[in-house]
Amino acid sequence: MAGELASIPALTRKDFVSNQDVRWCPGCGDYAILAQIQKVLPELGIPREKFVFVSGIGCSSRLPYYVNTYGLHTIHGRAPAIATGVKVANPDLAVWVITGDGDALSIGGNHLIHALRRNVDLKILLFNNRIYGLTKGQYSPTSEIGKKTKSTPHGSIDYPMHPISIALGAEATFTARTIDSDTGHLGKILTEAAHHKGSTFVEIYQNCVIFNDNAFQEVTDRDTRADNTITLEHGRPLIFGKDRNKGIRLKGMTPEVVTLGENGVTEQDLIVHDETLADSTYAFLLSRFEPPHFPVPLGVFRSIQRPTYEDMLTAQIKKAKEKKSSELKNLLYGSETWTVAE
Amino acid sequence: MAGELASIPALTRKDFVSNQDVRWCPGCGDYAILAQIQKVLPELGIPREKFVFVSGIGCSSRLPYYVNTYGLHTIHGRAPAIATGVKVANPDLAVWVITGDGDALSIGGNHLIHALRRNVDLKILLFNNRIYGLTKGQYSPTSEIGKKTKSTPHGSIDYPMHPISIALGAEATFTARTIDSDTGHLGKILTEAAHHKGSTFVEIYQNCVIFNDNAFQEVTDRDTRADNTITLEHGRPLIFGKDRNKGIRLKGMTPEVVTLGENGVTEQDLIVHDETLADSTYAFLLSRFEPPHFPVPLGVFRSIQRPTYEDMLTAQIKKAKEKKSSELKNLLYGSETWTVAE
Amino acid sequence: MAENPVLPVYKEIEEQSEATIRFCGDSGDGMQLTGSQFTQTTAIFGNDLATLPDYPAEIRAPAGSLAGVSGYQVHFSSHDIRTPGDAPDVLVAMNPAALKTNLGDLKEGGILIVNSDAFTANNLKKAGYATNPLEEGGMAKYRLHAFPITTLNTKALEGSPLTKKDVERCKNFFALGLMLWMYGRPMDVSLEWINKKFGAKPDLAEANKMALRGGYNFGETTDLVKKHYYIAKAKLPAGIYRNVTGNEATAFGFIAAAQLADKELVYASYPITPASDVLHELSRHRHLNVKTCQAEDEIAAAGMALGAAFTGAVGLTGTSGPGLALKSETVSLAIMMELPLVIINVQRGGPSTGLPTKTEQSDLLQAMYGRHGESPLAVIAPATPGDCFSMAIEAVRIAIQYMTPVIFLSDGYLGNSSEPWKVPDFDKIPKIHVEHYKDAASFLPFLRDPKTLSRPWAIPGTPGLEHRLGGIEKQENTGNVNYEPLNHEKMVLVRQAKIDGIAQSIPLLEVFGKEAGDILVIGWGGTYGAITSAVEMLQKRGIAISCIHLRYLNPFPSNLKKILDNFDTHIVAELNLGQLASILRGRFGVDIQSITKVQGKPFKTDELIEGIFKIARSRGEPKWQENSLASPH
Amino acid sequence: MAENPVLPVYKEIEEQSEATIRFCGDSGDGMQLTGSQFTQTTAIFGNDLATLPDYPAEIRAPAGSLAGVSGYQVHFSSHDIRTPGDAPDVLVAMNPAALKTNLGDLKEGGILIVNSDAFTANNLKKAGYATNPLEEGGMAKYRLHAFPITTLNTKALEGSPLTKKDVERCKNFFALGLMLWMYGRPMDVSLEWINKKFGAKPDLAEANKMALRGGYNFGETTDLVKKHYYIAKAKLPAGIYRNVTGNEATAFGFIAAAQLADKELVYASYPITPASDVLHELSRHRHLNVKTCQAEDEIAAAGMALGAAFTGAVGLTGTSGPGLALKSETVSLAIMMELPLVIINVQRGGPSTGLPTKTEQSDLLQAMYGRHGESPLAVIAPATPGDCFSMAIEAVRIAIQYMTPVIFLSDGYLGNSSEPWKVPDFDKIPKIHVEHYKDAASFLPFLRDPKTLSRPWAIPGTPGLEHRLGGIEKQENTGNVNYEPLNHEKMVLVRQAKIDGIAQSIPLLEVFGKEAGDILVIGWGGTYGAITSAVEMLQKRGIAISCIHLRYLNPFPSNLKKILDNFDTHIVAELNLGQLASILRGRFGVDIQSITKVQGKPFKTDELIEGIFKIARSRGEPKWQENSLASPH
Ligand SMILES: Cc1ncc(C[n+]2csc(CCOP(=O)(O)OP(=O)(O)O)c2C)c(N)n1
Ligand SMILES: Cc1ncc(C[n+]2csc(CCOP(=O)(O)OP(=O)(O)O)c2C)c(N)n1
Ligand code: SF4
Ligand code: SF4
Ligand SMILES: [Mg+2]
Ligand SMILES: [Mg+2]
């Protein structure tokens, strides 16, 4: 697409606003995410008609209706597979997948992990509100154990999934986490995701005001935010805290929270964030961080390059064409024919 | 079940042999696994009628027919879900799941990860032959990239999955790997799996003589085996090699193979295997080991205890019964009724 | 039980035999609560009734938008009724959007109560009104009462410590109070409900009570409302009653069935509208030996229920159309394994995601045929919300007696709407007989009962009966894997014969009306109320019309063919494009006419009467040409 | 092309008009190869032919076991034939298990060639023979030739450097050589094949050639075989021919269709017997713009193909029964989105895993009705292996022209069996017209073409046409989400009307035989050969019987009703319990009789003739009672 850049008239946010009324509950975190997407898209230098937004079913999955690009609002859980078909058929398109914690991890878990491991160049945004919004409040695979919901009045007995752990277990080449309420960070991560070539997995903490309000309070509350989150920056040590005096260091394989200046701990002792590690173990380690013992990491966990599925497929086609004529006749006649005369 | 132990007449291997002809190809690795299962089962002190073997579809999934216990040979990929139903309905049963790399990781990936994260007490044995046997030789999610098979004559373009990585990403409480050709190790791991309470995931390298012969040659060949595998033993350092002079040590988060005695390396420098770590990162690290750079770990990667799904459910029922009478009438009448007189 | 209240004397009272009221407003306005509270009081008062809630598909569409309108209709009377009413006599509209989407349904001359405070420029715009409709001529055909309900309510709550916003949110109780007054209903039921609900928050409780009383008193004192209405108690069969929705009755029925079979109930489901409420209801009753699992998807849910059935529990799964599609491979396995798996399908508008919150009967063909191979199973469909209870028991009875999957076809209308339900005497319901095979010497997994053709249910834990079930074709008797051609044909035929044989165990069809005549209307599922009401009205006009209602769809009751033969014209009325009609034609080779409606809504009685007339006239019956008959009203 | 060989003069030659040979042996014996080599030679020689391979479900059942028997039947003749033959004239059985499972099919008086070396005590036991059947009286009704083929082959290969085991594995070529001799066929085709196949391994090549020649020479020299046979060339239409299986022709057809539409083909599939070969074949042709993806499951495969269709490619997915069940929710989405998704279903024995390697036609109802909601789509079914090519093009043509999913119903028999196929002249096949909407000003995603009712196919990458498709009901024209009752009904009806309208674009049915008469036999799919053969035989006996073959199942060709009306008795013959019969009854209200077979096997001509007689007799037609007619042979 690079060659076309010059000819594209500059796009603006407005170009990505569709004519449909947005129908989320007032106060829903989805609004902020939509706004950031609409802000980021025009900055990418990609013609509007080359975007395709594919979603499953859920409140979050309504998003494609509101973005004025090509879009598919499909069925529950299947967006990664359908998006794979779009990308494979036309690798020139910029394909984004919008999904929820139920859509991506419950019914759609299998398609998600396979799209990731194939490294199809899809930007997968998982809106994690730790609840089923659209069906009015059942627990989801990311809901905490013991959670009381409509379908678990006695408390959930399912251990929650860690979306980034599962993505890393599935060989994802880009994993990141951000949050609806920090629009600056959200926009930044979306931009980085847009620029990654290959399967791109972004978990976005999203507040559902109706059925799971304040699920992310500990990481959004002004008072506790700084102590409960850590912003990952490539090449920088893992420092966090209101006073930026806490850090993470390793003891063998075991991470621990330390205070800078206490017991002789200095920045040199801390883990330096490296999102490019070939081995996914470090990113996996980060994906296990949870309050109260560890801060929630926000940012890019891991971003590595490897050939994408669609590029390899295209390459096979190119190579095959070089070797064999594309005459259909050769196929139809095959190797053994005989002639029946008049 | 403990209470019944005394009354069970000692079972033997024969008790677990069904009257059905075994129909795998001569030389198939499945025979060895079947034999070990039939050896281990009578040693567990569980009455035969309490075993249920549940499988999906595939060569491997034929196994339940050959074990003289209760069994379900179900449909492709769904065994973990069906087995969950068995266990939930009757937690007193010992439920084993037999599955293949296609059955468990391709069509059945989602059920697998959800059974694991729920910690349902299922013994899941994945027969990994890195190929679709029953459908005659298409590549599977564990096939190496570039592999030429019936469905990939130009070479596979899917990056393979690492079964243990995905299991750990899905919060499995027990993960292990063994191999058909090492019957001693296989029997040992099956025994450990049988004794774990909770979701139990065992990857078994299995040779398919017909469609993927010698897929595991590097770890089975007498000459290379010792250098290409490492046997995990709890509490023991990671040492391997024909001369048992190689080991694994950590440099930050990065593992490296070192030679004992060279550059001053001693056993003290090596990682000591600990299968009980609460954090799954170490086990994940091991799951990334692959020749040629690292030996293939065989043994128990991780084994931790947490309440099982079915036990928590049973506990909820017990608690609810303590609180509320089990009179159906109360439910039917509800809180607001009125009477219409004659 | 509430007694007839002493009616205030200073306003005119008009006695009516029935009325239909619809409450509508923004999703945030609490209309479902208002409606159900009115219903509860009315039920306890002693009317017969039926209700129809109507939710928007969005969780919370923007306040004031057309998409966000929520409604609740209740039809109540002094006689036996079966539908929530075709068109409301009274419409309570809390905002312009609600007025816009609902006014078309109000009867001419009907009472229209609106909250004039909500008719702001902003709200009018959101509803797409260019001008204020209350000030237009169009209102002349209704008895319009435009009250500033928000203001009146705020006044009534003066002194409440609640915030302004919370005070305003009580206005639905003000409207409820007004309607209670209008129909001479006591407030005690709602007052008590408020006490229970807001017990922990006395300020909130007090405010809602004040709002309720405020509305009631406003009716009594305002000059703007001249009269109120009286609808006498209905003569219902004696007994203890409660209101029940179809989804509740479904849940209760399966719990009861499990108890009747002396079994544990395992319900595995994945949430989906409009079936989720069955999951919610069942999840609450752990103390009744109900295990519920929210599965990762519908396939897993079916699988879990199947696993449970193998184990000897009542294995139940539930969903709506798209989920049934996903379950079909597993259901086919259950057919092959011959295990008693029960599948609830609460139908909604299709295809695909369709109209998820609306009702339809378009999954019948899928239920009958939506599986690969020759895969017959039993299909049943409850006729009314209360009937869901009885048919749930039947589902389990058939599944266990015949060792077969059973599909229980409910629909969104049945599931969500409520009716007074005479609570059955549980002790008098026949037990479901279950026999788990025990004898190892004689055991063969597929040896059939000569009468039912069903195979033994031998469950894990039984010593000596270890056996394997699978999806591959099996040898007769032994159940071993078998690929022989003639064995396969035998097994295909016996599975079919087993399902056909269920007809012996189900009640004969009863004809509503004379046993023979000109026209037979045939219905199934949730259309029972509308069809019988329409047919009854036509019967009263002397037309030789009867109807039958199929609660058993596969197999059909054994006297169906005989009944069909007794009528000249057969009309199937259903909420799809004619699915049952084509099945009946295919099965019996009889001529069938269709009345169809695919609008996400139940039939109205009127529509049915018109449809019947149209068909009858087109078939040239001279008496149907008469003027008196041609226009039913 | 091979010329007629000079036939050796010193043995008797019997001229025949046709013959059926079945090769059978252990899975490891290479019977599929032997059969297909014989077929290839016979085809090139110039006979008409049809084949039927028969694999075991196991990969490699234990050597010598009944479960491990593999067979390959070829029927060839000097005239036009359409079936692989009811019963073999010659049976070649390489071991006792093969004899046991196949002998029952051999014609009385037929030639039976067995490898006597394989009749060891051990093998006899594995096959369940108590004694050696070759030494029993039961063989008297056949012309038994028990040759020690293993020994003879080893002798023929004396001096070969191969191991004993490898030498032994050549014995199938020895058997092939013998059969080539017996039917006076040249060896050159197989010799050449061996050269190509084993080019890199000269020892192996040489050994196989020696085996082939050894068998041939053995026939020529042994006293034990007295004569050989001659079957003249068939008079086939002039042209260039090749052998093709249905699955190959399917793959070729879809590649051709994509080229005719000037599109890329995207095939997403999950392996499943008997459809996998379509995936294998398509995967080989990257150079023809074929993208194949092995998806993680059938749902994903359907999804990928749907995504590709949205993008403007030919989106194709393929599976067998259980997979079709899984795809149904996605297919329903394609119906709602109105995208041209094509679904191949190669049917196999059901329900559940059923008989995975056997053929059946029992997915018809699922294809027609196996989706929730009102979800009509086009269903077509090829009639012969070669017809798979043409119908594949039709599938794509209909899908694109009508913007609808199309189900292509093949079956295991069609897929695996082969016939000589006159290679079409690609340049003469009409192009598939595709128009991608471009004009932003007039674009509405659901504005319909008044003739076809199809909507515009606007693909991503087109500036100004950005739009969203979804599974929720849509407003007419705009395609916006819409929940209005009347709009929904309109859309349900228009989707149905669009599918019904496809009838205008499909060829009228041609009657095989007279246009009117007593009996009309109706078939569909892979039974074409057997049905037309049976009907032709009855026609020759002067019976007023005709047949029609439905290749378009939804909608039906528009002249179907008229044709039905021209006959008194209608018989549907199909490999299920009467699925098409019930659809036809439901659709046209006509009386339909059924001939069914559910044995995992295709019809035999004889079975059909018998079935037709039985029905005709039961319907009391006096002329059918005549003796001459009663026994067709
Ligand atoms: C096959 C199928 N099963 C179930 C549903 C019902 N359903 C719709 S959305 C949803 C879950 C939504 O949760 P999530 O993905 O977390 O999205 P959110 O609404 O929270 O954004 C469910 C269960 C459906 N539409 N289709
Ligand atoms: C729904 C469905 N899809 C596809 C198949 C075909 N199928 C049977 S087994 C199998 C894969 C087998 O591979 P694996 O699980 O690795 O088992 P193996 O045979 O190698 O032991 C497939 C694709 C099926 N039976 N059902
Ligand atoms: S229910 Fe929750 S997630 Fe859905 S729109 Fe409302 S606030 Fe957002
Ligand atoms: S095909 Fe492979 S996996 Fe299957 S039975 Fe044969 S050797 Fe074993
Ligand atoms: Mg969610
Ligand atoms: Mg495998």
Side-chain angles (χ1 to χ4, degrees), chain A residues 62 76 106 138-139 151, chain C residues 58-60 270 280 294 296:
Chain A
R62 290 291 179 94
H76 200 30
S106 195
Q138 301 83 11
Y139 78 116
S151 56
Chain C
E58 275 79 20
I59 303 304
R60 293 272 188 286
Y270 186 69
H280 305 158
Q294 180 174 313
E296 58 271 27

Side-chain angles (χ1 to χ4, degrees), chain A residues 42-299:
Chain A
E43 296 166 357
L44 299 175
I46 300 172
R48 190 176 65 177
E49 66 272 15
K50 296 222 163 163
F51 285 100
V52 182
F53 274 72
V54 183
S55 66
I57 296 284
C59 293
S60 34
S61 290
R62 290 291 179 94
L63 187 136
Y65 288 123
Y66 311 137
V67 184
N68 192 15
T69 63
Y70 286 90
L72 292 172
H73 176 226
T74 71
I75 44 178
H76 200 30
R78 317 302 173 188
I82 296 171
T84 296
V86 170
K87 188 72 186 174
V88 161
N90 186 353
D92 200 29
L93 299 170
V95 185
W96 293 60
V97 172
I98 305 294
T99 182
D101 40 331
D103 195 57
L105 298 173
S106 195
I107 192 168
N110 205 32
H111 308 304
L112 178 71
I113 62 181
H114 283 274
L116 292 177
R117 75 153 176 125
R118 287 191 190 108
N119 200 31
V120 185
D121 183 11
L122 306 175
K123 321 299 170 200
I124 302 175
L125 311 185
L126 190 157
F127 294 22
N128 184 4
N129 55 13
R130 296 193 178 152
I131 199 80
Y132 285 5
L134 191 69
T135 46
K136 307 196 176 177
Q138 301 83 11
Y139 78 116
S140 90
T142 55
S143 297
E144 58 280 16
I145 197 156
K147 187 178 191 75
K148 294 196 175 178
T149 68
K150 278 199 188 145
S151 56
T152 52
H154 298 263
S156 153
I157 54 174
D158 293 33
Y159 296 97
M161 279 191 168
H162 295 68
I164 298 194
S165 296
I166 201 93
L168 289 166
E171 320 290 330
T173 57
F174 182 102
T175 42
R177 182 188 287 135
T178 182
I179 184 159
D180 56 1
S181 57
D182 185 350
T183 50
H185 190 262
L186 175 58
K188 180 169 162 285
I189 295 296
L190 291 179
T191 306
E192 291 195 36
H195 287 115
H196 177 73
K197 188 166 164 69
S199 69
T200 305
F201 180 78
V202 182
E203 178 187 16
I204 307 176
Y205 284 173
Q206 173 248 325
N207 193 38
C208 169
V209 286
I210 303 297
F211 298 111
N212 203 19
D213 201 15
N214 291 321
F216 303 102
Q217 196 158 18
E218 55 192 355
V219 298
T220 54
D221 253 23
R222 268 169 186 273
D223 298 345
T224 56
R225 186 171 54 193
D227 286 331
N228 280 333
T229 62
I230 183 164
T231 305
L232 305 173
E233 281 171 284
H234 184 62
R236 308 287 302 273
L238 296 186
I239 296 182
F240 69 108
K242 219 183 303 198
D243 309 320
R244 303 223 25 98
N245 65 343
K246 294 202 236 173
I248 313 243
R249 98 177 153 189
L250 273 182
K251 202 173 161 182
M253 292 262 332
T254 314
E256 55 180 12
V257 173
V258 290
T259 309
L260 291 171
E262 271 179 22
N263 303 320
V265 174
T266 71
E267 263 196 48
Q268 268 63 45
D269 298 321
L270 306 184
I271 303 177
V272 175
H273 183 58
D274 184 350
E275 61 189 42
T276 64
L277 290 176
D279 185 336
S280 52
T281 303
Y282 163 63
F284 189 85
L285 177 88
L286 293 176
S287 77
R288 311 305 297 172
F289 285 11
E290 271 179 328
H293 301 302
F294 288 95
V296 171
L298 297 173

Side-chain angles (χ1 to χ4, degrees), chain C residues 51-210:
Chain C
T51 72
L52 177 63
D54 188 19
Y55 315 96
E58 275 79 20
I59 303 304
R60 293 272 188 286
S65 70
L66 294 171
V69 174
S70 166
Y72 191 105
Q73 181 165 313
V74 50
H75 179 197
F76 54 109
S77 79
S78 58
H79 55 264
D80 183 25
I81 53 171
R82 306 184 198 92
T83 78
D86 281 8
D89 301 296
V90 182
L91 182 69
V92 181
M94 298 298 280
N95 74 358
L99 183 71
K100 177 114 177 208
T101 45
N102 287 282
L103 186 61
D105 292 338
L106 183 61
K107 279 194 189 140
E108 260 189 53
I111 297 176
L112 173 60
I113 297 174
V114 298
N115 176 10
S116 57
D117 285 336
F119 283 65
T120 60
N122 192 8
N123 277 345
L124 288 167
K125 202 179 134 207
K126 280 191 210 156
Y129 279 122
T131 58
N132 189 338
L134 303 182
E135 293 155 11
E136 307 287 309
M139 293 295 129
K141 48 183 171 180
Y142 311 111
R143 283 182 278 164
L144 172 66
H145 298 294
F147 300 133
I149 294 181
T150 313
T151 313
L152 291 167
N153 175 63
T154 306
K155 271 195 203 148
L157 266 67
E158 237 165 312
S160 160
L162 295 188
T163 65
K164 194 171 161 244
K165 204 173 145 198
D166 282 342
V167 163
E168 204 184 306
R169 293 188 61 196
C170 296
K171 66 178 182 297
N172 60 329
F173 271 92
F174 188 95
L176 176 62
L178 176 59
M179 293 313 293
L180 289 178
W181 172 83
M182 191 175 271
Y183 283 89
R185 299 290 137 105
M187 282 180 283
D188 52 356
V189 175
S190 290
L191 290 171
E192 204 177 301
W193 183 87
I194 293 170
N195 277 338
K196 247 196 243 163
K197 177 79 180 180
F198 301 113
K201 300 174 181 165
D203 288 348
L204 217 57
E206 194 47 40
N208 277 300
K209 286 190 212 165
M210 285 161 76

Side-chain angles (χ1 to χ4, degrees), chain B residues 66-86:
Chain B
Y66 311 139
V67 184
N68 192 16
T69 63
Y70 286 90
L72 292 173
H73 176 228
T74 71
I75 45 179
H76 200 29
R78 318 302 173 188
I82 295 171
T84 296
V86 171

